[in-house]
Amino acid sequence: MKFLQCNTENAKAISHLFNETFTASEGANEGKVIGELTTELMSTTASEDLFIFVAKAEDKLVGSIMFSRLTFENEINAFILSPVAVHPDFQRQGVGQKLIKFGLQALAEKGVELLFTYGDPNYYSKVGFKQISEDIVKAPQALTYPEGWLSQSLSADELPPMSGRCRCVSALNKAEYW
Ligand SMILES: CC(C)(COP(=O)(O)OP(=O)(O)OC[C@H]1O[C@@H](n2cnc3c(N)ncnc32)[C@H](O)[C@@H]1OP(=O)(O)O)[C@@H](O)C(=O)NCCC(=O)NCCS
């Protein structure tokens, strides 16, 4: 298994992986929604505001994760991990955790200080994320599932103090994703 950072040249194959993976786990409608979200993230986000990492097995694309910028008033260097997909044939073999850890290491080396995600705390706690109250950091949109608002610092043990709501990139800035 190889883990790599990649650019938007492979956008079609990456969106297809997200569509196929979410169709298998949550149905065709969700597959289409997440496939389109990834297409939009890759086509509308400035390159310095989006990081894409992939897992490949013998050159077959088997996993992908995306990190896009969250903008705070105090200009802290922050990104959100979303979405994440591992092809159904490769799930529960540690690929997701290894790919996320690879991405975290690469972002730490690029000077990213703070990460967020919005998902299952049981899964993301395996790669260092902890639940965070919206009293500390308010999400870009109203959360339907506040327990899923998670963060981790890449630069310090404690989260730095922050105030106000953060802004996400435009592709993620739709109420239906939150
Ligand atoms: C969620 C997902 C990315 C996990 O990737 P993975 O490579 O299968 O996970 P790993 O092998 O690294 O980790 C496995 C462990 O994570 C946990 N886990 C796996 N999938 C999980 C899920 N959907 N929810 C909660 N925990 C999960 C389990 O505890 C599992 O350990 P176990 O097999 O000992 O029970 C993958 O299953 C997937 O793409 N699912 C469909 C899309 C999705 O739900 N994406 C996440 C939201 S954006």
Side-chain angles (χ1 to χ4, degrees):
M1 189 76 55
K2 279 191 296 191
F3 301 100
L4 312 157
Q5 184 179 351
C6 77
N7 57 29
T8 54
E9 265 171 35
N10 297 322
K12 240 181 154 167
I14 293 171
S15 291
H16 181 72
L17 171 72
F18 278 96
N19 185 327
E20 213 182 346
T21 301
F22 279 84
T23 294
S25 66
E26 285 166 58
N29 189 44
E30 189 68 4
K32 185 166 178 283
V33 167
I34 303 298
E36 285 172 2
L37 162 64
T38 57
T39 300
E40 195 179 340
L41 268 169
M42 290 185 278
S43 62
T44 65
T45 311
S47 58
E48 66 271 21
D49 293 341
L50 182 68
F51 292 102
I52 307 164
F53 298 93
V54 295
K56 284 188 168 180
E58 291 166 9
D59 277 344
K60 179 182 159 53
L61 183 63
V62 301
S64 179
I65 58 177
M66 294 189 183
F67 295 88
S68 57
R69 190 176 296 282
L70 284 183
T71 305
F72 286 87
E73 276 165 29
N74 70 358
E75 295 181 356
I76 190 159
N77 194 349
F79 279 76
I80 181 166
L81 167 62
S82 180
V84 173
V86 173
H87 189 281
D89 294 347
F90 291 82
Q91 288 175 6
R92 302 220 152 202
Q93 298 168 34
V95 176
Q97 287 171 65
K98 284 190 198 135
L99 178 57
I100 294 170
K101 284 180 186 160
F102 179 83
L104 299 184
Q105 176 72 35
L107 293 191
E109 284 165 12
K110 290 172 198 297
V112 174
E113 297 161 281
L114 192 57
L115 287 179
F116 291 82
T117 193
Y118 182 47
D120 186 337
N122 293 325
Y123 184 68
Y124 289 104
S125 64
K126 292 174 191 284
V127 287
F129 286 93
K130 293 191 183 132
Q131 287 180 306
I132 180 168
S133 160
E134 280 209 277
D135 294 340
I136 299 174
V137 180
K138 213 155 178 56
Q141 292 259 349
L143 300 177
T144 46
Y145 174 57
E147 299 78 11
W149 185 228
L150 312 171
S151 80
Q152 69 173 292
S153 168
L154 294 182
S155 60
D157 292 339
E158 296 287 316
L159 292 183
M162 266 157 296
S163 59
R165 191 181 280 268
C166 54
R167 253 185 317 113
C168 61
V169 300
S170 67
L172 272 186
N173 202 20
K174 292 181 186 151
E176 64 187 289
Y177 300 138
W178 301 87

